[in-house]
Every structure is written in structure tokens, then in C-alpha cells.
Amino acid sequence: MHPAFSVIFFTVSSGAGFGLFALLYLADALKLGGGLSTNQLLIAGIIGLVLISAGLMSSMFHLANPKNAWRAFSRWRTSWLSREGVFAMVFFPFAVVYLGLTWLGMKEFETLRMLAGGMSMLLAWITIFSTGMIYGCLKTIRQWNTPLVPANYLLLGHFSGALLLLIVAQTGTVEVSSYLNIVLALLVFAAALKAIYYFWIANPGVVSTINTATGFTRARVKLLDAGHTHGTFLTQEFGFQVARQYALFLKAFVFSAGFLIPLLALFGMFGTLTSGLTIIVAIMALLGLIAERWLFFAEARHVVNLFHGAQRC
């Protein structure tokens, strides 16, 4: 599949924003490390909303006709794309009420504040899951049609969000060890699941071939003429090719920048973990996640390629 930067930025940015907001509410509800201050809650919440908004705006550039984007909201009963948009929009009022009541600091509205925060956390989880299911439900693309995809989206979004929350926690007097442990746990699970995913797509077992696509299974089938002399929409959008060596290099970068460097930094291998070092680690991790998302699209092979010369998908 053709990796469009607008979609890559959208999934990475909104995933980090939703993950940050969900973890922010949990940290607030459980008073992790003694509890974040009001300013820290507001800063983390605003960062989350900015990342989500930037991601949603970026996704508009992927639409052929952005003026018709509103039509996507009407298909929520059958489309994960529509559900993602609906849940993302419903998330904002609850998040704004939660942050607004946090800013006011009125004790009589504490129950309402926590209810709004809890709803925004649930909607953040559902939205990230819906984003993953947009790809996970497609049976025509073997590399995406697996529960590993929404699980990866959830873990990577929360891992990047936890890194951002750790940066905010380091700016105050709160005890950061609990925030650090959350980042480490999410990092380990996210890296393990990503490794399982790469192993799974590299060892597919039974796959669709040109024989199964045409129904001629007794001999080798070979396409003699594709019927066109130039690339078409199908070959350009669904037939993206990535060199094996290039893919291996990018996977090494994904694990180095996205997981290994953050792991070494969080264990103090580069000296004391200051907020400045954590910011650098977060930038490295986000670059690793951008490479991971580019590969996620580039390595996906739609079965339509079987009718344009591919022997297997």
C-alpha cells in the first residue's frame, strides 16, 4: 500500500495524544507519585488535545474531496473509519469539561470532573482501537488482517503518550518513579508485540497466490499481459514495492530509535534522566514510530496485485 505521510502523521500524532490523555486521567485518579499539580494536568491535557487535533486535521489531506468528509460520520454502523471519526468527536466535549473543571478547581464539581475524565479515557481507548480496526478488518490485505494490528496501535499510542506524560511529571515535585515504570512496562510490551507482528508477516504459512486468485491450481500461472502500459490507480496505491534490504534497515531503526535507545536512557545508561534527556528520548521514539508506521503501510500487499503480475501476496 502507498504510505501517505498525512495518514502516518495522523495515526502517530493522534495515537500519542489519545494515549497521553488516557494515562493522564489514570495518573490523576490514582494520584500517582503523590498526584500531578493542576498546572501539570492542564499542560499534559492541552498537549494531548493539540496532538489529537493536529492528527485529525492531517487526515483531511488524505481525502480526495475534504468537503465530503462529513459523509463519513453517517456510516458508523458498518465502518470502522466512521466509528473512529464519531468517537474522536465525542471525546472532545468530555475532555474539555474535564480540563475546564480541573482549571476551576471547584470541589463541589469534583465528581463531575472525574466522570468526564473517565468518559474521555474510555473514548480515547475506543478511538485508538477503531483506528487499528480500520486496517485489521480488511481480509484482502493479509498483513493487516490480524488482532495484532489494533493491539499494536493501542500499545504504541500509550507508550508514546506515557513518554510525554513522564516529561510533564519531571517538571514538578511529583515522584516520577511510578511514571517511569509505566513507560518501561509499555515499552517492553510494545516492542515484544511489534517483534511478534514482524515475525508473523514474514512467516505467513498459507497465502493468496495467482493460482488461488484465478482458480487454476494444477500448474504454474503467469501473467503475460497486464492490459495496460502505464501505472494505474490500483498499481500505484495497492502495489507499492519496498526493497527487502531497505525494509530490514528501517526495522532496525524502528527497534533502535523506538525502543532500545529509550530503554537505555530510562535505565540511566546515558547519565541522570533529566527532563531534557527525556525530551530527546521522546523525539527519538516518535521518529521510530513514524518509521514503523511507514513500514506498516509499505509492506501491506493487497490481493489485487495478483491480477497485475504478483505471484503471491
Side-chain angles (χ1 to χ4, degrees), residues 8 41 50 58 93 111 119 153 220 240 250 252 266 268 271 282:
I8 293 172
L41 290 173
V50 169
S58 172
T111 302
M119 281 300 299
Y153 269 70
R220 184 173 183 270
F240 188 84
L250 276 180
L266 295 175

Side-chain angles (χ1 to χ4, degrees), residues 59-125:
S59 68
M60 299 286 289
F61 292 101
H62 189 60
L63 300 175
N65 191 348
K67 289 187 297 184
N68 294 330
W70 63 272
R71 294 180 184 276
F73 293 95
S74 63
R75 301 290 186 267
W76 60 273
R77 292 184 178 178
T78 56
S79 166
W80 283 105
L81 175 64
S82 182
R83 290 168 190 160
E84 175 200 49
V86 170
F87 287 124
M89 290 300 104
V90 176
F91 162 85
F92 276 95
F94 289 102
V96 170
V97 169
Y98 169 68
L99 292 180
L101 292 177
T102 300
W103 176 58
L104 292 174
M106 300 172 71
K107 296 296 182 184
E108 56 270 34
F109 292 118
E110 182 63 14
T111 302
L112 178 60
R113 187 181 77 89
M114 297 309 290
L115 285 175
M119 281 300 299
S120 60
M121 177 188 68
L122 290 175
L123 288 166
W125 287 342

Side-chain angles (χ1 to χ4, degrees), residues 5 12 31 44 49 51 107 109 111 133 135 145 147 194 196 208 223 259 268 272 277 299 306 310 312:
F5 181 75
V12 173
K31 303 297 180 189
L49 291 183
L51 288 172
K107 296 296 182 184
F109 292 118
T111 302
M133 283 304 296
Y135 310 104
N145 189 219
K194 196 70 235 180
I196 292 171
S208 297
L223 184 68
F259 305 120
T272 305
L277 180 58
E299 290 192 315
L306 298 173
R312 54 183 291 176

Side-chain angles (χ1 to χ4, degrees), residues 31-231:
K31 303 297 180 189
L32 286 181
L36 296 168
S37 67
T38 300
N39 285 339
Q40 287 176 312
L41 290 173
L42 292 174
I43 290 171
I46 291 171
I47 292 173
L49 291 183
V50 169
L51 288 172
I52 295 167
S53 301
L56 292 174
M57 290 180 67
S58 172
S59 68
M60 299 286 289
F61 292 101
H62 189 60
L63 300 175
N65 191 348
K67 289 187 297 184
N68 294 330
W70 63 272
R71 294 180 184 276
F73 293 95
S74 63
R75 301 290 186 267
W76 60 273
R77 292 184 178 178
T78 56
S79 166
W80 283 105
L81 175 64
S82 182
R83 290 168 190 160
E84 175 200 49
V86 170
F87 287 124
M89 290 300 104
V90 176
F91 162 85
F92 276 95
F94 289 102
V96 170
V97 169
Y98 169 68
L99 292 180
L101 292 177
T102 300
W103 176 58
L104 292 174
M106 300 172 71
K107 296 296 182 184
E108 56 270 34
F109 292 118
E110 182 63 14
T111 302
L112 178 60
R113 187 181 77 89
M114 297 309 290
L115 285 175
M119 281 300 299
S120 60
M121 177 188 68
L122 290 175
L123 288 166
W125 287 342
I126 294 172
T127 306
I128 301 176
F129 179 77
S130 298
T131 304
M133 283 304 296
I134 292 173
Y135 310 104
C137 72
L138 296 178
K139 295 182 180 179
T140 52
I141 303 176
R142 181 189 60 80
Q143 291 83 2
W144 289 354
N145 189 219
T146 167
L148 292 172
V149 170
N152 266 310
Y153 269 70
L154 281 165
L155 278 174
L156 292 175
H158 282 77
F159 165 56
S160 52
L163 271 174
L164 298 175
L165 184 60
L166 177 61
I167 295 171
V168 176
Q170 287 175 315
T171 61
T173 57
V174 68
E175 175 57 49
V176 298
S177 59
S178 52
Y179 296 88
L180 188 60
N181 291 334
I182 291 174
V183 177
L184 285 170
L186 288 169
L187 185 153
V188 171
F189 282 116
L193 200 62
K194 196 70 235 180
I196 292 171
Y197 173 77
Y198 283 145
F199 178 80
W200 181 78
I201 64 171
N203 300 274
V206 179
V207 298
S208 297
T209 66
I210 193 171
N211 294 80
T212 59
T214 57
F216 301 113
T217 57
R218 293 191 175 184
R220 184 173 183 270
V221 177
K222 183 179 180 181
L223 184 68
L224 298 178
D225 190 349
H228 49 78
T229 58
H230 193 273

